[in-house]
Amino acid sequence: MNMQVIKTEPATALAKPPVASVALAPKQAPNYDKYIKAAKDAAARIIPPLIVFALLMVFWELLCRRAGSTLPPPSKVYQDTKELIFDPFFDRGGIDKGLFWHLSASLQRVAFGYSLAAVVGIALGTLVGQSVWAMRGLDPIFQVLRTIPPLAWLPLALAAFRDGQPSAIFVIFITSIWPIIINTAVGIRNIPQDYRNVAAVVQLNPLEFFWKVMLPSAAPYIFTGLRIGIGLSWLAIIAAEMLIGGVGIGFFIWDAWNSSHISEIILALFYVGIIGFVLDRMIAGLGKLVTHGTSVS
Amino acid sequence: MTPYLKLDHVDKVFTRGKVSSEVLKDINLNLGKGEYVSIIGHSGCGKSTMLNIIAGLTRATIGGVILEDREVNSPGPDRAVVFQNHSLLPWLTVYQNVRLGVDKVFAKTKSRAERDEWTMHNLNLVQMTHAKDKRPSEISGGMKQRVGIARALAMEPKVLLLDEPFGALDALTRAHLQDSVMALHQKLGNTIVMITHDVDEAVLLSDRIVMMTNGPSATIGEVLDVPLPRPRQRLELASNPVYLDCRKRVLEFLYERHKFVEAA
């Protein structure tokens, strides 16, 4: 009520004695400004990419509209894939499923393989960072193994596991573990001697030292490794799924290519990009949350 | 009287590859219970090494440290250290930093509630209860050092080791904190070993001042008694002849007989 009065007739509102409305007036102004500022900031971040996106779409449309172009323009992509976009949840058995199911199958594989890589990677990284002998023994091996391309592991994994699912998970694991190991090791090696001294004086046992000093101190490094790892595992799963088949966004793309549904490939690529971006931001956000206050000493 | 803390013929040789350098040579020092002893010397004379040997963070090459008739050669909460750069864990709050030590030392002897109370009690001793939920990055340098002192005190150490505790602070904060430490020593009667390179600080706070010769092979050059009654008042001491005499003798030792020689 009062607010409305102020908006329409500020003079009368101020003339009235109630303290509340008088107090409200100066309080409201900065708040209002704050919202405008926040909106402006958001607009400054959102509008430029939107403009560029729109321009790219127009350019693409013009480029691919001509007769005989090999790729469809965006308008055709939209028409061809309308069904897939608006009904991602259908399931007609086999691999004839909505995109949601394909994506969730891929994400599940990544979740398994990546979680395993995170646990094993942090453990191995801690070992290598803490022990000079472990570093001397393991580091050269890691340096060689990490250069092997993800897909090169797939045949070996298929031979070992004789099944697509564990093989795909293994490829994720082996792809994403190296940056996690290496960054964790660097983080552990960089724990300030001061913190070690504190732990020694307080007489923390090795387990307490690991949880209470090592992990938090190395967390910024660990999260750098985790972030690189999630990116790599998302790269690897698409490629691996193309080869192992079954439900999954990678095979969806391959299948679309085999049936010449180019529009579906483009839609799938769009989703893959968005999900990769979200995964990266999720790990970055988690890192920010966990390492709050760690970087400043 | 058997000494409370005894450094018995301590030598320290650092060896890197084929080069070995003797940092400390034949250090003998006895401390009584409740005594406040400062170790002063030019930088590089091995004062910090000596403190680390008492703390157990570094092992003596020859000789050893005896605390209450038992040799100590590994770090432990009975010789709590206040580090030069506070060394608070930045991901823990002020309270958690103190509580970390309390939880370890009193794991069996105090209940959870008692440990909480004891943590707060020690924060209260250094007047830091108001900032208990702040992180180290959110408080000033002097406050951080107060928390460092609280953390050490909370472990109920037999000997409190201060490694240039006020070195990184501005002069006013330093004076304020020196007064706090003096008051705490008065109240709790801790045995304290303090490393310093500040002559006034050494005379103001100590019962005895251990003056180190220059390294390499540094050793104890002279031990000076400071026969000033406690409690001491900074302002009154400024013109006290005993204070001035002690100050003069430390200065003479440091700047006449054992002048610091750059890169000798």
Side-chain angles (χ1 to χ4, degrees):
Chain A
M1 261 292 272
N2 271 338
M3 281 163 57
Q4 264 185 345
V5 172
I6 290 167
K7 262 188 191 166
T8 49
E9 285 176 285
T12 43
L14 283 173
K16 277 180 187 171
V19 187
S21 65
V22 177
L24 259 179
K27 213 176 167 189
Q28 216 177 353
N31 249 347
Y32 193 54
D33 278 354
K34 220 166 79 184
Y35 287 130
I36 290 184
K37 199 175 173 301
K40 271 185 180 165
D41 283 353
R45 255 178 292 141
I46 293 168
I47 291 177
L50 277 183
I51 293 175
V52 174
F53 182 73
L55 284 176
L56 279 175
M57 284 294 158
V58 171
F59 178 68
W60 175 14
E61 181 76 39
L62 293 176
L63 197 71
C64 295
R65 219 171 172 170
R66 295 166 300 138
S69 71
T70 49
L71 295 176
S75 54
K76 188 162 186 309
V77 169
Y78 176 71
Q79 264 172 14
D80 289 350
T81 59
K82 232 186 331 188
E83 198 187 334
L84 283 169
I85 294 172
F86 292 113
D87 184 15
F89 298 108
F90 71 87
D91 185 353
R92 295 189 202 110
I95 57 161
D96 192 7
K97 290 180 180 8
L99 272 171
F100 172 81
W101 301 110
H102 288 288
L103 286 167
S104 90
S106 299
L107 280 171
Q108 263 173 38
R109 292 186 182 114
V110 168
F112 271 121
Y114 178 73
S115 311
L116 208 61
V119 173
V120 177
I122 291 173
L124 276 176
T126 306
L127 181 71
V128 171
Q130 184 71 353
S131 149
V132 178
W133 282 106
M135 185 185 79
R136 286 183 190 160
L138 290 170
D139 196 55
I141 299 173
F142 289 167
Q143 295 300 341
V144 173
L145 287 182
R146 79 187 176 94
T147 61
I148 298 174
L151 279 192
W153 291 101
L154 189 60
L156 191 68
L158 283 168
F161 298 114
R162 307 203 168 267
D163 187 15
Q165 182 73 356
S167 304
I169 290 172
F170 174 77
V171 169
I172 301 291
F173 169 80
I174 206 78
T175 310
S176 54
I177 197 169
W178 309 117
I180 300 175
I181 292 179
I182 290 167
N183 282 283
T184 305
V186 173
I188 298 290
R189 235 171 279 148
N190 281 336
I191 295 175
Q193 188 58 39
D194 293 340
Y195 300 169
R196 293 181 185 275
N197 285 347
V198 169
V201 169
V202 178
Q203 285 185 330
L204 294 180
N205 63 39
L207 204 65
E208 288 168 325
F209 181 60
F210 176 73
W211 285 112
K212 293 186 175 169
V213 178
M214 282 177 142
L215 275 190
S217 178
Y221 292 90
I222 295 176
F223 272 97
T224 306
L226 288 175
R227 207 171 153 188
I228 300 171
I230 193 80
L232 287 180
S233 56
W234 191 237
L235 292 182
I237 188 65
I238 308 295
E241 281 174 348
M242 284 187 176
L243 295 177
I244 61 164
V247 179
I249 192 69
F251 188 67
F252 176 86
I253 294 173
W254 196 244
D255 193 42
W257 157 244
N258 281 333
S259 3
S260 303
H261 294 149
I262 308 300
S263 295
E264 287 182 11
I265 297 180
I266 292 170
L267 178 72
L269 290 187
F270 182 74
Y271 276 123
V272 168
I274 293 288
I275 288 181
F277 174 78
V278 171
L279 287 176
D280 180 66
R281 283 304 152 103
M282 264 167 56
I283 300 293
L286 188 68
K288 227 179 199 169
L289 201 75
V290 171
T291 60
H292 169 73
T294 312
S295 42
V296 209
S297 61
Chain B
M1 182 190 106
T2 51
Y4 190 62
L5 176 77
K6 182 181 171 78
L7 275 74
D8 195 6
H9 295 95
V10 170
D11 284 22
K12 179 68 193 177
V13 181
F14 281 111
T15 310
R16 177 161 286 179
K18 283 176 188 164
V19 189
S20 59
S21 56
E22 191 175 46
V23 180
L24 293 173
K25 189 176 169 59
D26 204 30
I27 302 282
N28 287 292
L29 183 65
N30 293 335
L31 265 82
K33 196 172 180 180
E35 208 177 3
Y36 196 129
V37 171
S38 291
I39 299 168
I40 196 165
H42 293 291
S43 53
C45 73
K47 329 186 267 292
S48 285
T49 310
M50 194 164 146
L51 193 91
N52 282 341
I53 289 173
I54 303 175
L57 295 167
T58 308
R59 290 201 66 168
T61 313
I62 304 171
V65 180
I66 294 159
L67 176 62
E68 275 194 320
D69 298 325
R70 290 178 69 175
E71 184 175 6
V72 285
N73 49 26
S74 62
D78 55 345
R79 284 150 290 134
V81 187
V82 176
F83 296 94
Q84 183 173 6
N85 54 352
H86 67 79
S87 296
L88 298 178
L89 302 179
W91 52 87
L92 299 180
T93 63
V94 162
Y95 174 86
Q96 288 167 332
N97 263 293
V98 178
R99 181 71 187 261
L100 183 71
V102 173
D103 277 346
K104 275 306 281 184
V105 177
F106 301 106
K108 293 191 183 107
T109 50
K110 278 185 164 61
S111 72
R112 187 174 280 269
E114 281 170 332
R115 293 201 297 261
D116 170 66
E117 199 185 316
W118 178 245
T119 305
M120 289 310 290
H121 170 73
N122 280 281
L123 281 173
N124 190 33
L125 281 178
V126 295
Q127 291 124 44
M128 282 303 296
T129 39
H130 63 280
K132 75 182 185 75
D133 293 322
K134 292 210 164 114
R135 284 174 200 272
S137 55
E138 296 165 332
I139 59 178
S140 70
M143 288 173 159
K144 283 179 204 164
Q145 204 50 282
R146 281 175 187 279
V147 179
I149 293 169
R151 176 174 61 186
L153 284 176
M155 294 184 239
E156 276 196 329
K158 290 175 179 160
V159 182
L160 186 61
L161 304 173
L162 310 177
D163 187 0
E164 293 188 31
F166 317 119
L169 305 174
D170 65 88
L172 289 174
T173 313
R174 190 185 306 161
H176 195 52
L177 220 56
Q178 284 165 352
D179 290 343
S180 295
V181 167
M182 223 171 0
L184 284 171
H185 178 234
Q186 193 74 27
K187 190 171 169 184
L188 306 173
N190 306 82
T191 310
I192 301 182
V193 179
M194 177 176 78
I195 303 286
T196 183
H197 48 226
D198 182 329
V199 177
D200 288 300
E201 179 173 291
V203 179
L204 176 68
L205 295 174
S206 326
D207 298 317
R208 277 193 297 157
I209 302 174
V210 173
M211 292 176 262
M212 304 282 291
T213 63
N214 282 325
S217 304
T219 189
I220 295 175
E222 201 181 319
V223 179
L224 177 73
D225 276 307
V226 184
L228 289 166
R230 291 177 187 272
R232 298 172 182 171
Q233 295 296 329
R234 182 183 299 277
L235 281 176
E236 291 165 21
L237 286 179
S239 53
N240 182 316
V242 180
Y243 177 84
L244 292 174
D245 181 54
C246 289
R247 193 169 177 275
K248 187 162 157 259
R249 287 179 62 183
V250 178
L251 286 170
E252 273 171 6
F253 179 91
L254 289 175
Y255 298 107
E256 267 181 33
R257 276 176 285 156
H258 295 276
K259 231 182 194 164
F260 182 59
V261 190
E262 196 89 43

